[in-house]
Amino acid sequence: MPADRLPDPYRPEPDVAAALLAGLQGRLDWPRAAAMATPWVHAVRAQPAPFWALESLLREYPISSAEGLALMRLAEALLRVPDAETAMALTADQLGRADFDGAGGTDGSSAHRLLAGLSAQAIALSKKLLPGSTEPPGVLQRLGARTVVAATVRAIQLLGRQFVLGRSIAEAMAEAASQRKALPRLRFSYDMLGEGARTEADAERYLASYHHAITHIAAARPAGQAPMAGDGISIKLSALFSRYEEAQRQRVFDTLLPRVRQLLALAARANLNLTIDAEESDRLELSLDLLDVLADDVAREHPHWAGFGLAMQAYQTRAAAVVDEVAAIASRRKLRFMVRLVKGAYWDGEIKRAQEGGLAGYPVFTHKHHTDLSYLACAGKLLARHDCLYPQFATHNAGTIAALVQMAEGSGAAFELQRLHGMGEAVYREVLKNPAIDCRVYAPVGEHRDLLAYLVRRLLENGANSSFVHQLADEQVPPDELLASPLQVQPAPSLPLPAALYGPARRNASGVDLACQAQRAPLLAALPASPLPTVAMATPADADAAMQALHAGFVDWNARPVAQRATLLRRAADRLDAELPAWCGLLVREGGKTWGDAVAEVREAVDFCRYYAEQAEARLAEQVLPGPTGESNVLRLQGRGVFVCISPWNFPLAIFAGQVVAALVAGNTVAAKPAEQTPRVAQRFVALLHEAGVPGDALRLLHGLGETVGAQLVAHPLCAGVCFTGSTPVARLINRTLAAKDGPIVPLIAETGGLNTMVVDSSALPEQVVDAVVQSAFRSAGQRCSALRLLCVHEDIADGVITMLRGAMAELRVGDPAELATDVGPLIDDDAFAAIGAHVARLRRDAVLLGESTLPSPPPLPRLLAPVAFEIGRVDELRDEVFGPVLHVLRWGPGQGGPEAARDVRTLVARINALGYGLTLGVQTRIDSRARQIAADARIGNVYVNRNMIGAVVGVQPFGGEGLSGTGPKAGGPHYLYRFCAEQTLTINTAAAGGNAELLAGMA
């Protein structure tokens, strides 16, 4: 499919909504639809769903409440916790955060009130039996804790049964048959609970599960039944291949496509329906490309099969265009697709991705009624193309259902409605009183512990305050408000655009959606084709001359108002932002960056410029201090003199820029010494600052070896301060050099390395852990000071996590960073390659190899080192930072022999602290109090909970460590600029000449 088939996903939301509204004019009478839906609402509220149904749960425990959130988080985590101690801690942690002592059940039927009251009382009693209770300890509490946990587990399993049709396909089909006794025309689409695969083993297991399910469904299918009239299956493409992403396009077609073909052929031969579920927006174009190829297969091999289906998400701003594209694909092949229209399941993730990436807008609607509007517009398109599309409308919204029934009148289009198993039952009880309406149930199938992430996502979506299901459960919301027309356009998004994430004072750096061909094309085109120019090496004479010139220029530069200096930084930031492709190309070529890392680094440099400009204006202005009458007192901040800034090669633009502009905006002149491996990036940035208006005698670039040029600059008598990022040994050397100098005591700002650790307890979600580990340990080839070096996994889940990690590592691609598909590029130079290689060789002799990636054969360029993981036995086996893609894994817990037989995590954290480094720490746990305790105990600068531990954002996660990891203050934080400043207090006796006129003038 050509890349320009779909419009820009980041178009202004009001424009998209206005076009959708225009397309619905004359096709829908909303007051009539609301009138149809109103009796349904009254009937549902008069006879609510059973107590354990979603609507009733939301009535008793809304997810916006502490009680609802606690129960949701217990449902997400408790069933997968393998050890009793952690299960008790998790249950106590979550139940202890809420108040279940109320009577409960204030609304609804008497049965609801009784059950809700009993449940609240039972939970309140349970809290008193758990560790950490404020009740006096006793035998009952000690004996009761395990009983409470067991009862809670059982309750969550019962809850799971309300949302999962069966633990196996056979069990699910038996339950479906039972439900069909009451509603014979009910249909089912079985979902085998396939979350995204992390390994090939996961993908093959999901493939086998789908294959098994199709076989069973086919065996029970009545002869001659049309696909749309019977049961079918839903499949998830990311469950069939761990690297289902745009960057791995070729592998998707080589590996994923044959697997989908296999399932399609099986379903086609059985003449049942198979639907491909929708996923995140950055996979949309790729999914349509696959659809195009698969449609060719179906047209050629199964031309009469009408069971091939796909899901579409109305909350995407391109949804209406997707309907047109899918109709065109089907029409060209003379096929008819089944199309499930949903509102969408990843809204919060899409919003966060756009904000973090600094994208031009959001790929989804931010107003709920815009999503409802889009849904109706897409429905109209589906009904209009019923010649090649069979519409399936998945919704629990009574107003939407009534509108769909109205729009279908007179269209001649057959259609069906769909709902999720365990949700919307009360609404559909009323809707299906119309015998002309068909309904299909989207039915999860699988073990209850596997439903956790799925279940919580469904609860979040349907329990959000703005959702119809939530408001239906709230009788305080009148029907006319509940059924308000979505046919309106708001003039602005409900959230600030990503560019405005940090408010009006600082614009977010612009990003690139690498999954969008139109956005990544300028980057790929900007890769330098010719050899990079050389940068002249500075001589000792050059260094001395530069220091003299910078010392002479200090007075004028320091005298400039802070606002003027800040303006120059913003000017440079805007230029850098606008020239992002060229800078990315240079970073890929000189620094060996992958494209994703290059984009992130340019954005970080832009953020540094804008953030320090903002901070300077807010924090470096004169402050008037209080004092006695007849006297003025002012605190002034000004530059110290010539600052020497020494930056590393691993972030040749971001760290270089951050050091330099911080020193400049504080009033210092700067001698900038970049890493000898990456001088061209630094040279170009210095040129950019000069073009932005920074004088030549305020900033000089001095390229050379650290032991010559760098050492000379640090030791120079005119050096008024040093800002250094690099290794701990070099920082110590600089510190000794400064201490040995005569004259003023010179400050050192140092950010050095770390033996960064991630602590994982048994409540953590393994898939989330592995995602965070792979990113933290191997992104940038492990060449980040924040990169993960030591993974400490609780013994009860270690085997599973290690197996999944091994499989995920096998899927990483090592190679040329200029290729979009490359995950891990080369090490920076021969010395680094030799040192890391020697460390890996020692580990191969002395440790247990857990997994490693594969190098291409032959390697496309030198110094490629495959990511590798080894198991070690003690925390203190690590002594020095290993600056490459090497991960050390340690099991911890009470069952481990030797020094790691720590019964509690606090002992483990104490041993991590004893290493002396303190840069980054990752924590993976669902026990909130444990995460806070670990953070309080850790002598670590940056602690990240339930996420990766790299990529600190300027002004969001100020970055820097303590101990052997640096001096502070944190880069990109509110205290950083002060360290570059000298302070002066100016006190003037204003009464010295003629007395205190001001005081006298105020006498009564």
Side-chain angles (χ1 to χ4, degrees), residues 321-338:
V322 173
V323 176
D324 293 336
E325 177 60 25
V326 170
I329 292 172
S331 182
R332 284 198 300 270
R333 276 78 172 195
K334 297 182 172 54
L335 297 174
R336 193 181 190 203
F337 293 148
M338 300 175 70

Side-chain angles (χ1 to χ4, degrees), residues 30 33-49 55 59 396-402 426-431 433 468-469 471-484:
W30 184 262
M36 182 188 299
T38 298
W40 299 340
V41 171
H42 287 307
V44 169
R45 288 178 169 175
Q47 187 182 353
E55 295 93 328
R59 177 186 293 111
H396 303 133
N397 187 315
T400 302
I401 293 170
V427 169
Y428 274 88
R429 180 191 66 214
E430 303 303 317
V431 171
K433 289 176 180 178
F468 180 87
V469 173
Q471 295 187 44
L472 178 63
D474 184 357
E475 294 193 4
Q476 300 303 311
V477 179
D480 58 343
E481 181 179 334
L482 181 64
L483 298 170

Side-chain angles (χ1 to χ4, degrees), residues 258-322:
R259 292 172 178 168
V260 182
R261 280 173 166 158
Q262 177 184 342
L263 296 175
L264 279 182
L266 195 64
R269 286 195 295 269
N271 202 32
L272 55 84
N273 61 80
L274 180 150
T275 298
I276 297 175
D277 271 332
E279 301 192 46
E280 295 86 349
S281 64
D282 58 352
R283 292 167 166 160
L284 180 58
E285 289 91 345
L286 186 58
S287 69
L288 291 175
D289 289 353
L290 287 167
L291 177 68
D292 220 352
V293 175
L294 292 168
D296 272 340
D297 294 344
V298 173
R300 183 176 58 256
E301 299 175 14
H302 312 285
H304 302 297
W305 178 48
F308 186 19
L310 70 154
M312 297 181 185
Q313 295 167 318
Y315 72 3
Q316 290 199 24
T317 59
R318 297 177 290 179
V322 173

Side-chain angles (χ1 to χ4, degrees), residues 17-71:
L20 295 171
L21 181 60
L24 276 173
Q25 294 299 326
R27 302 188 63 182
L28 176 61
D29 180 354
W30 184 262
R32 181 178 160 220
M36 182 188 299
T38 298
W40 299 340
V41 171
H42 287 307
V44 169
R45 288 178 169 175
Q47 187 182 353
F51 174 67
W52 282 108
L54 176 68
E55 295 93 328
S56 299
L57 284 173
L58 291 174
R59 177 186 293 111
E60 305 304 333
Y61 305 119
I63 63 169
S64 57
S65 69
E67 294 75 27
L69 185 61
L71 291 177

Side-chain angles (χ1 to χ4, degrees), residues 832-870:
F833 184 75
I836 303 301
H839 179 76
V840 171
R842 288 194 297 273
L843 288 172
R844 290 188 189 277
R845 293 192 306 269
D846 303 333
V848 178
L849 176 66
L850 298 180
E852 59 186 320
S853 305
T854 303
L855 286 176
S857 182
L861 70 171
R863 302 193 307 278
L864 291 175
L865 183 69
V868 61
F870 294 90

Side-chain angles (χ1 to χ4, degrees), residues 633-966:
N633 296 279
V634 176
L635 178 66
R636 294 173 172 176
L637 298 174
Q638 57 189 9
R640 290 178 174 274
V642 183
F643 240 89
V644 174
C645 293
I646 303 175
S647 57
W649 49 262
N650 61 331
F651 284 90
L653 177 60
I655 293 179
F656 180 86
Q659 292 180 347
V660 168
V661 300
L664 285 171
V665 80
N668 302 282
T669 55
V670 176
K673 192 270 175 209
E676 47 263 35
Q677 297 94 333
T678 53
R680 298 168 185 85
V681 173
Q683 179 174 259
R684 184 178 290 188
F685 184 72
V686 167
L688 183 147
L689 287 176
H690 286 158
E691 292 163 8
V694 175
D697 60 0
L699 172 62
R700 295 286 180 93
L701 179 74
L702 292 147
H703 168 45
L705 299 177
E707 56 266 32
T708 56
V709 173
Q712 183 181 4
L713 294 173
V714 169
H716 200 283
L718 295 178
C719 171
V722 176
C723 184
F724 170 77
T725 301
S727 72
T728 302
V730 174
R732 285 196 180 106
L733 178 61
I734 292 172
N735 192 43
R736 287 194 294 267
T737 301
L738 295 177
K741 290 172 61 174
D742 292 331
I745 297 172
V746 175
L748 169 63
I749 305 168
E751 191 264 284
T752 55
L755 292 180
N756 308 308
T757 304
M758 181 181 290
V759 175
V760 180
D761 76 4
S762 59
S763 72
L765 180 64
E767 290 83 358
Q768 180 178 286
V769 171
V770 169
D771 288 347
V773 168
V774 169
Q775 293 173 28
S776 302
F778 305 127
R779 189 170 170 181
S780 306
Q783 298 174 123
R784 293 175 179 242
C785 50
S786 58
L788 172 62
R789 311 297 178 197
L790 174 63
L791 173 64
C792 300
V793 188
H794 192 276
E795 58 191 355
D796 286 331
I797 64 169
D799 287 342
V801 169
I802 289 170
T803 298
M804 189 179 294
L805 175 61
R806 180 186 301 117
M809 291 174 65
E811 295 304 306
L812 292 175
R813 286 299 171 261
V814 184
D816 185 349
E819 299 292 331
L820 188 65
T822 295
D823 299 303
V824 179
L827 298 184
I828 189 63
D829 59 23
D830 292 339
D831 290 343
F833 184 75
I836 303 301
H839 179 76
V840 171
R842 288 194 297 273
L843 288 172
R844 290 188 189 277
R845 293 192 306 269
D846 303 333
V848 178
L849 176 66
L850 298 180
E852 59 186 320
S853 305
T854 303
L855 286 176
S857 182
L861 70 171
R863 302 193 307 278
L864 291 175
L865 183 69
V868 61
F870 294 90
E871 184 169 344
I872 62 175
R874 297 165 54 108
V875 168
D876 59 9
E877 285 184 38
L878 283 184
R879 297 290 186 181
D880 300 306
E881 184 178 33
V882 180
F883 213 70
V886 183
L887 178 66
H888 310 80
V889 181
L890 174 76
R891 299 170 192 255
W892 68 276
Q896 293 298 304
E900 302 314 329
R903 188 166 184 82
D904 63 273
V905 73
R906 300 188 72 177
T907 303
L908 176 64
V909 174
R911 291 170 182 158
I912 294 168
N913 286 339
L915 294 173
Y917 289 88
L919 192 56
T920 62
L921 173 71
V923 180
Q924 295 279 339
T925 180
R926 289 300 190 268
I927 303 174
D928 298 336
S929 57
R930 176 172 291 175
R932 289 193 296 271
Q933 185 65 63
I934 290 172
D937 289 345
R939 312 315 306 160
I940 308 290
N942 287 65
V943 180
Y944 299 97
V945 179
N946 293 331
R947 52 152 286 171
N948 69 34
M949 45 195 282
I950 60 172
V953 177
V954 174
V956 179
Q957 293 116 10
F959 187 75
E962 58 182 275
L964 297 175
S965 294

Side-chain angles (χ1 to χ4, degrees), residues 127-204:
K127 287 173 58 180
K128 299 175 182 179
L129 302 178
L130 288 166
S133 169
T134 56
E135 297 293 312
V139 175
L140 180 62
Q141 181 172 324
R142 291 196 299 272
L143 295 179
R146 290 177 184 270
T147 303
V148 169
V149 171
T152 307
V153 167
R154 181 57 179 158
I156 292 173
Q157 289 173 333
L158 291 172
L159 174 63
R161 291 182 61 182
Q162 312 307 310
F163 299 95
V164 177
L165 194 63
R167 290 167 294 181
S168 66
I169 187 64
E171 186 177 296
M173 291 176 66
E175 176 61 24
S178 175
Q179 292 187 22
R180 256 193 289 260
K181 291 177 181 177
L183 291 169
R185 299 183 66 186
L186 208 60
R187 308 159 184 175
F188 290 81
S189 184
Y190 302 102
D191 169 26
M192 307 311 293
L193 281 180
E195 292 299 320
R198 297 312 192 273
T199 71
E200 272 296 277
D202 290 340
E204 290 170 358

